[in-house]
Amino acid sequence: MASAYLAASGSAYFLPHTLVLLGGSGVLAFMAQRAFAVRVRGVRVTGVCVRHTFAKDGVAVIVRYEAASGEKFTCLSQPAAVACARIGEPVDVVYDPRRPKNAEVPPIGYGMAYILSTLALLFGVPGLGLLYWIVGG
């Protein structure tokens, strides 16, 4: 009965759009949560620059660091015109103690976390509105 109602009302056409909006919102919210986690509960440690990598925006460094558990991880810095460290030099790293792989090289700003949160809302609100309309709210 519900499928006949959806087909008759034309709202079935909007179901894939709704799912894309809500799915995209969920992914963006997850990414924003990871970004905020490093900023809120991050632990600062000193790692070592192990390699440079080149991108169109400049040079990024790959840093190896050790979490409090003793596990070793690597993270990638943001590309810059000049590498922030030479190979073998110490580099500060901030990581989430709950997920030590989630790490960033300072400086760490809130810009990307806020952008991701805003995009999650911009996708989620219309998605929820469409879902409300489809179910006949």
Side-chain angles (χ1 to χ4, degrees), residues 22-127:
L22 292 175
S25 176
V27 168
L28 289 166
F30 174 76
M31 292 169 56
Q33 184 275 333
R34 286 182 54 117
F36 277 116
V38 170
R39 285 147 185 81
V40 172
R41 61 179 177 248
V43 173
R44 186 178 293 258
V45 295
T46 301
V48 176
C49 174
V50 292
R51 203 166 76 216
H52 294 141
T53 183
F54 301 92
K56 67 178 183 176
D57 297 338
V59 181
V61 296
I62 298 174
V63 180
R64 179 175 290 128
Y65 64 97
E66 188 173 329
S69 65
E71 290 181 273
K72 293 188 180 193
F73 299 96
T74 59
C75 77
L76 181 68
S77 73
Q78 292 294 321
V82 178
C84 66
R86 293 181 184 168
I87 295 175
E89 287 186 341
V91 178
D92 284 342
V93 175
V94 178
Y95 74 93
D96 178 3
R98 293 184 190 169
R99 290 187 182 93
K101 285 184 179 182
N102 186 15
E104 294 186 31
V105 174
I108 299 173
Y110 280 87
M112 185 55 71
Y114 284 126
I115 288 169
L116 291 169
S117 297
T118 302
L119 287 173
L121 282 172
L122 290 175
F123 276 65
V125 170

